[in-house]
Every structure is written in structure tokens, then in C-alpha cells.
Amino acid sequence: MAAELTTTKLNAESHLLLDQPLLRLPYELSRRNFKTVQKNFEREREVVLSSLKSTANASLAGQDHSQTLNSLDNMISRMQGLKRKMEVLHEEEQVLHQHSRRRIQHLQDLYEIPSLADVKYDEWSRIRLNRLLVDYLLRSGYGESARALAREKDIEELVDLDVFVQCHKISESLRKRSTQECLAWCAEHKPLMRKTSNNLEFQLRLQQYIELRRDGHLLEARQHAQKYIAPHTDTHFTDIHRAAGLLAYPPDTQAEPYKKMYSQARWDDLASLFVKTHHELFSLPPRPLLHIALSAGLSALKTPSCHSAYASSSSNASSSTTSVCPICSTELNDLARNLPYAHHTKSYVENDPIVLPNGRIYGRDRLMQMSAKVGLEDGQVKDPTTGEIFDESKIRKVYIS
């Protein structure tokens, strides 16, 4: 009874390894919201205080009352604009706090489940599976399907719909040969990108330069390079050197690396670079969580026999056994092929093991019973996996040390 309780006891900490992004993203969004509030407040404060001081001095110097009132009206208008911005940001902050509370409660529910056999664990696992499916749909670009699933399962506060929808929208705009939306995103997150030494903005400016050169606008290309590309000489000297050489080569050149720079495939590379940068800034895993969970589950069940040439009846017509191993199934066998094997600390063998001439090991009693059931002559045994038939005199007893 004690052993059974040990094997079914729920380890919440190991479950939460997969759910770290659940709280990390709302935290990153809240921090960005706070920085935006701080920046807007400090900027407007400096402007209003400066205007107030100059207006007061002008009034004391005998300025016309109408001009003083106009200055005060302008300051009031700026403060009202700041108030509206603060109200919008406050609403966003409240939404983020609500999402965080719901997510914390979702994780807390796991700690209140005592056993894997508890029905509440099944319910919690279904919610997590739905979250993983929504995450996968969002990363694959199926935003509407993901939103519909989240709404149906009432998990909209447990998934990051808007963040991934915006990410997909910008990546698609890059694949459509447009840099405007991505540059606007870079400007919004410039402080964070500066800390990570990211080169996304430089590559976007370089692509704009390439397009100007492609269209034959040499003067505009040189001006663009001087304004946006030349300041990065210390960190991107090689790329800038090649960009300068691009002026001497037409778009149909076969010379490398200029042919590669003119290639339309650069747009796909930029889209991939943006997605990578986006996920790094928001502390999101680069792979879908569903892939991570599936890989862990497949690896935990995988053994060397799962990809043997004699794995089971599903892959070998001569086999007389039916495998119940999910890794040996047709649906999952190829998915698990490149994953590592499970780490087993204990082995389970029958108490009367024998080895056949082909090197396969079975329990003697069960092998004899099965050979009799298939109608073999006395003194013969059949390998249930490969279908080979051997004389009983050729089998050898195995001793485990």
C-alpha cells in the first residue's frame, strides 16, 4: 500500500517546469507597462513644469493676460492627455493583474491535488492540454482557431492570445516585404533590445537599403546608409562593408555575397529573426510547449526495442505478438525516432529467462506455452517477435548477475 501511494503521489514541482512561461509573460508585460507609464509621466512633467515656470515669469514681466491663459490652457490640455493615457495603461495593468491571479490560482490548484489518481488531476491536466493546444495554434498562425478554442474552454486568461497574434501579424508583414510594423515594434521595445545587443533593427535598416539599391535609387540608398547603417560600424563592420560594395553590383549579379544579399529569402530570414527576438524579449520558449511535452513523454517511454527491426506486429508481419507500447505504434514511432531513450534504474525480467540462438531473451514457461498454442512439434520453440523456429536443444538458460 505504501509503495502504491509513493508511485501515485503528485510532484507539483516537476509539473511546473513546463509552466514557467505562464507567469513570466504577464510579468514582462507588466514591467513594460510600468516603464511606459514612467516615461510618459516624466516627459509630461518636464514639459509642464518648464511651461509653468516660463508662463509665471512672463506674467510677472507684464505679459498679456490672454497669452497667460492660453499657456495655462495648453498645460491643462497636456495634463488631460496624460490622464487619458494613464487611464488606458491602468486598464491594461488591471487586465494583466487579473490574468496573473487566474494563472496563480491555476497553479495553486495543482498543489492541492494529493495524488495522480485523483479526479481533480485529470481535470487540471485537461486544462493544461487545452493551453498547450492553444499555444501551438497561436505559434502556427491559427489565431482565430486558437481564440475560439480558448473561449470554448474558458481559458482565455490562461493563454497569451494578443501577444502571439501581434507577433504573427508582424512576421507576416515581413514576409510581404514590409518593414514598417516591425520597425515600430523595435522602437517600442528599444530599451530592452539595447540590453540584449540585438541586431534586428540593423538588419531591417539594411534590408531597406537593399531594396532602395534594387529599385535603382542610389542617392536615397546612400543617404539611408549614412543615417541608419553607418552608426553601427563598430558592431557590424563586415555587413556594412558588403553593403557599400552592393552599389557596384546590379540585382541580377551572380557574385557572392551580393547575390545572397539581393535574395528574396532574406525576408523569410528577417521574419524568423523577429520571432526569435520577440520570444527572447518576452522570455518565451522558442519551441511550442506541446512539442516539449510530447518529446518528454515519448522519451520517457522509449526503449531500444521500440525501433528494432522486430519491434512488434505493427511493423513485422511475422510477429505473433501485439505490442501495447505507444512508441511502437504507427502514429508515434517516427516522431520518437530521434529522441533519447528513457533512463531506467530498474529492470524487470521473468524468473526463468532463456536466450534463443538469435540473441533474444524470453521466459521459458511462457515461450513453451505459446509454442504449443501455435501447434509446433515437441522439441521446437518459436520466437514470438521474429517468427523464427528453433530446436529446444539450442536454447540456453540465462543467469543474471
Side-chain angles (χ1 to χ4, degrees), residues 2 7 12-13 31-32 43 72 80 110 128 165 170-171 187 253 263-265 269 324 333 336-337 357 362 370 392:
T7 56
E13 298 297 332
R31 187 172 66 171
R32 188 189 70 174
R43 182 177 64 245
L72 291 174
Q80 289 175 338
L110 183 64
R128 181 167 70 169
V165 168
I170 295 176
S171 65
T253 182
S263 173
Q264 296 293 343
D269 295 339
V324 295
N333 193 260
R337 189 171 299 277
Y362 301 97
M370 187 171 55
E392 186 177 349

Side-chain angles (χ1 to χ4, degrees), residues 373-400:
K373 287 182 180 179
V374 297
L376 292 182
E377 298 178 359
D378 292 341
Q380 289 185 326
V381 293
K382 180 179 180 179
D383 188 328
T385 302
T386 66
E388 297 174 275
I389 299 176
F390 303 99
D391 289 335
E392 186 177 349
S393 59
K394 294 183 178 180
I395 63 177
R396 296 290 183 268
K397 186 172 179 60
V398 176
Y399 297 93
I400 299 177

